Amino acid sequence: MTGYRDDPARIGALVRDDAVHRDAYIDPGIFRIEMERVWARTWIYVGHVSQIPEPEDYLTADIATEPVLMIRQADGGVRAFRNRCAHKGAKLVADRSGNTGRFLRCPYHNWSYRADGSLAAIPLRQGYDGTGLECSEAVRGLRPVATSIYRGLVFARLSEDGPGFDEWFGGALSSIDYMADRSPEGEMEIAGGVLRYMHDSNWKFFVENLNDTMHPMAAHESSAGTAKELWADQPADAPKPMAIEQLVPFAGSYDFFDKMGVRVFENGHSWSGVHFSIHSAYAAVPEYEAAMVGAYGEARAKDILGTVRHNTVYYPSLTIKGAIQTIRVVRPIAVDKTLIESWSFRLKGAPDIFFKRNVTYNRLINSPMSVVGHDDQQCYRLLQEGLAAGGNEWVNLQRDYHPEERGAADLTVNGTSEISMRNQFRVWARLMSTP
Amino acid sequence: MTEVEIVRFIYREARLLDEKRWDEWYELFTEDGHYWVPLTRDQPDAEFHTSLAYEDRLLLRLRIERLGRRPPSQHPESWSQHVLQAPEIESHDGEAWLTRTAFHYAEARGDEMQSYTGLVLHHLVEVDGKPRIRLKRVNLLNCEAALPSIQLFL
């Protein structure tokens, strides 16, 4: 059902304390409003500074379904703009990344721009003499987008109005620190390519699934369960292949995932794996641990290496796995279409095995050919199709619901609680019902 | 091995996949054999660069066993069809052959069908007088595209 746009109370009523109306996932009108009120007004991940090392290097991304590009400036800074010529509106750069050269030139009529977005030249400019071009939208050049950089991760906010970066993410930012600090130099760089997996389902199913700890033993029984069986006959001291080390923990028990814990923050952010996670039992690398102690001191090194959070959700666009240095970026396309990009970080100064682990994990879990991903994708698709059914308008999110959790700014509970989803919908309802 | 034997082997390999005779297909790989679908054009390495798939016999066994369990994503079930151009022998060095075969691959599931094309490079060796796969590398033409689930074997 559409007609939500001018009726904030009706949108607000889509979210109950312990349930959400199915229209949140299947209504195309709701999707458009989400792009304007959730995705344009909050801080969305664009890319990492290591992807644009040189002046005039650029990277593009679609944010809230709008084309955006970020460009490295001559002074080393980073700026972001709408990827649209100020003249007729053609997308200025069509490649996913590259270098603009001295000027960013529109291929259609050769209007050209400097890296700071200002208009540099128009062919046959005298044609505008006396037309009042100086008062036009076009003469102002590329439309800037607010950016904020945290440990090299670049975020953008399309709307001029909205929360500040620190205000939006608050205490949840520590997961990015714990990921970057796994480098003895405290720095990471994007490497090893990007997996781009097209999902035929609503973006929220993916985001919710990241801290849905009740699904692995069901949805991934066929992959992780098989991995566990294939390795079952091996002696305990047999060297474990990386794939087994990474896949088998998905077959963990309900008790394992429950004891892992989940922590939620205001504005929809959360992480599971508060106390331990599926990444806790990877083989130790003594030379690296020594380097970490050398870089950070005994106590901080122990803290960094002992923090192995499962997934952290930076609502709504970025999900990270600090313990293995992969990130999954959410790019909504339509109410039932979402692109998931999975990137790998290399930890500067860390042995190669960490990057090999990262690349292996990314391939095994996040590829369009992943035996784990296939079953997640199938479940999201079944949600998209199943919610076309009427009769029951509500999606139940009631597991471990307690009224005291409402309004909590920072709360840690048992890992199998559906609190992270309720927490996401609380901020969703607030943003969505703000015209 | 003769050129005719090599070419027959490549056709048979595709046929085993399309007929879902995965256990027989698995036996075509050497003990150190790999099935590789690179993520980028001319990707030199699979260990320090992400791939769409890079599977040794253990991971192939996992994939085959899983498909045998009719997992959630196999409702409805997927079916494949390979259409191969005549394989060409690129090089023959002692016991190793490198062949190049242009292919079209379709994967159907329910009402949907996906279609891919590219080149498959077989690195073959002779084991007990028969060709065996040391590496099957599938260079998808659109390897860098955003892809949906590809569930069977290219």
Side-chain angles (χ1 to χ4, degrees):
Chain A
M1 197 184 290
T2 51
Y4 283 110
R5 178 172 298 279
D6 302 319
D7 197 344
R10 207 167 138 236
I11 296 187
L14 292 175
V15 177
R16 293 177 178 168
D17 287 336
D18 55 6
V20 61
H21 193 280
R22 66 188 176 116
D23 274 7
Y25 302 98
I26 63 172
D27 186 296
I30 287 288
F31 177 81
R32 288 315 319 164
I33 302 169
E34 279 181 329
M35 293 304 103
E36 295 163 25
R37 298 182 188 170
V38 178
W39 285 76
R41 291 179 185 169
T42 61
W43 292 93
I44 306 301
Y45 180 73
V46 185
H48 191 260
V49 293
S50 61
Q51 294 171 278
I52 47 169
E54 300 298 326
E56 291 142 14
D57 281 352
Y58 70 82
L59 182 79
T60 68
D62 283 356
I63 291 178
T65 71
E66 293 189 36
V68 165
L69 80 162
M70 66 175 190
I71 310 179
R72 178 74 80 165
Q73 304 294 300
D75 67 2
V78 173
R79 292 193 194 207
F81 305 95
R82 297 322 213 284
N83 184 6
R84 173 217 197 270
C85 180
H87 173 218
K88 279 204 78 172
K91 205 164 152 177
L92 275 173
V93 291
D95 290 333
R96 301 216 300 266
S97 62
N99 185 283
T100 65
R102 194 159 155 241
F103 295 109
L104 186 53
R105 183 168 289 136
C106 179
Y108 195 10
H109 301 100
N110 272 353
W111 282 44
S112 58
Y113 305 87
R114 298 178 190 91
D116 67 1
S118 61
L119 182 60
I122 301 174
L124 211 63
R125 192 166 185 138
Q126 60 270 33
Y128 291 98
D129 288 351
T131 64
L133 182 72
E134 63 281 3
C135 303
S136 69
E137 294 285 331
V139 82
R140 290 160 60 196
L142 305 184
R143 273 312 110 84
V145 174
T147 56
S148 195
I149 302 179
Y150 192 83
R151 302 298 296 257
L153 284 76
V154 183
F155 294 81
R157 196 190 65 207
L158 290 187
S159 172
E160 285 176 23
D161 303 314
F165 180 82
D166 292 332
E167 176 194 349
W168 179 249
F169 289 120
L173 286 169
S174 72
S175 287
I176 294 176
D177 290 318
Y178 277 111
M179 174 162 68
D181 286 346
R182 282 184 169 252
S183 153
E185 299 168 19
E187 282 194 29
M188 317 177 287
E189 59 186 353
I190 289 281
V194 55
L195 288 158
R196 303 172 70 237
Y197 195 167
M198 192 61 85
H199 285 49
D200 49 2
S201 48
N202 189 266
W203 66 272
K204 294 188 291 301
F205 294 136
F206 179 85
V207 174
E208 288 171 39
N209 188 61
L210 279 274
N211 286 326
D212 180 327
T213 53
M214 287 297 290
H215 86 281
M217 54 297 282
H220 303 310
E221 193 277 332
S222 72
S223 49
T226 302
K228 196 174 177 178
E229 283 170 29
L230 286 177
W231 198 250
D233 297 337
Q234 297 287 331
D237 58 348
K240 219 181 251 182
M242 215 173 251
I244 292 293
E245 193 176 68
Q246 296 183 344
L247 286 168
V248 171
F250 279 81
S253 65
Y254 286 115
D255 187 56
F256 175 88
F257 283 98
D258 195 51
K259 289 202 167 78
M260 219 161 85
V262 61
R263 185 168 171 184
V264 299
F265 293 84
E266 59 187 342
N267 298 329
H269 318 302
S270 60
W271 65 73
S272 51
V274 179
H275 312 295
F276 56 86
S277 79
I278 63 168
H279 308 296
S280 294
Y282 296 164
V285 183
E287 65 188 276
Y288 163 70
E289 284 161 23
M292 288 291 284
V293 170
Y296 293 102
E298 193 87 42
R300 175 67 184 155
K302 200 176 164 197
D303 177 32
I304 296 165
L305 297 175
T307 301
V308 285
R309 294 169 189 168
H310 180 51
N311 287 302
T312 301
V313 172
Y314 290 99
Y315 195 76
S317 71
L318 175 68
T319 76
I320 79 166
K321 272 192 174 292
I324 193 108
Q325 303 95 49
T326 62
I327 61 171
R328 286 178 277 188
V329 184
V330 183
R331 306 287 189 206
I333 294 168
V335 67
D336 57 356
K337 195 171 181 187
T338 308
L339 174 62
I340 305 299
E341 300 175 344
S342 298
W343 298 88
S344 301
F345 279 114
R346 187 198 296 273
L347 297 171
K348 290 189 183 175
D352 284 345
I353 185 173
F354 290 97
F355 190 58
K356 191 173 167 183
R357 262 182 197 167
N358 174 330
V359 161
T360 301
Y361 185 90
N362 215 357
R363 185 186 76 235
L364 288 175
I365 310 300
N366 300 325
S367 164
M369 299 182 76
S370 160
V371 292
V372 176
H374 289 164
D375 289 323
D376 281 324
Q377 235 270 13
Q378 167 77 352
C379 291
Y380 308 151
R381 185 64 211 171
L382 292 175
L383 291 168
Q384 199 72 39
E385 293 181 4
L387 289 178
N392 171 6
E393 299 295 315
W394 296 94
V395 174
N396 186 288
L397 301 173
Q398 212 162 354
R399 178 177 290 279
D400 290 303
Y401 170 66
H402 299 291
E404 315 83 79
E405 75 188 36
R406 286 175 302 181
D410 177 354
L411 192 61
T412 300
V413 301
N414 61 306
T416 57
S417 169
E418 286 172 339
I419 191 172
S420 64
M421 304 168 208
R422 296 189 290 270
N423 186 54
Q424 286 162 18
F425 274 109
R426 281 182 197 124
V427 70
W428 186 90
R430 193 181 84 216
L431 293 165
M432 288 290 283
S433 53
T434 307
Chain B
M1 293 186 296
T2 66
E3 182 169 345
V4 171
E5 282 175 307
I6 300 269
V7 168
R8 272 192 196 145
F9 175 85
I10 289 167
Y11 286 135
R12 178 176 152 78
E13 193 249 332
R15 178 172 174 165
L16 289 176
L17 287 174
D18 295 340
E19 293 179 353
K20 299 196 171 185
R21 292 158 69 185
W22 294 315
D23 289 332
E24 290 169 73
W25 177 74
Y26 174 82
E27 294 303 332
L28 301 183
F29 284 81
T30 61
E31 286 301 320
D32 62 352
H34 280 82
Y35 166 76
W36 184 19
V37 187
L39 180 60
T40 56
R41 247 164 265 291
D42 305 321
Q43 185 177 322
D45 160 71
E47 292 197 337
F48 296 99
H49 191 289
T50 313
S51 300
L52 289 163
Y54 182 64
E55 314 228 315
D56 58 9
R57 278 172 64 112
L58 177 69
L59 283 170
L60 290 176
R61 174 47 55 198
L62 166 62
R63 203 174 274 273
I64 290 166
E65 298 274 327
R66 172 181 170 275
L67 285 168
R69 292 183 180 204
R70 288 296 303 281
S73 73
Q74 279 301 295
H75 296 270
E77 193 173 353
S78 302
W79 296 92
S80 71
Q81 180 65 56
H82 291 75
V83 180
L84 304 184
Q85 203 172 53
E88 295 174 64
I89 295 182
E90 287 281 277
S91 64
H92 174 201
D93 175 19
E95 59 152 12
W97 284 261
L98 170 62
T99 69
R100 162 199 163 107
T101 310
F103 70 90
H104 177 254
Y105 172 85
E107 192 174 294
R109 182 170 170 263
D111 294 331
E112 290 164 10
M113 190 168 88
Q114 308 172 39
S115 160
Y116 299 93
T117 189
L119 278 177
V120 54
L121 306 174
H122 284 88
H123 296 245
L124 302 174
V125 292
E126 189 174 330
V127 178
D128 299 331
K130 289 176 186 159
R132 287 292 174 263
I133 302 168
R134 179 162 281 159
L135 175 67
K136 177 181 179 181
R137 173 178 172 145
V138 183
N139 290 340
L140 271 183
L141 187 64
N142 62 340
C143 57
E144 296 183 31
L147 297 170
S149 295
I150 302 173
Q151 296 206 42
L152 301 180
F153 299 92
L154 290 162

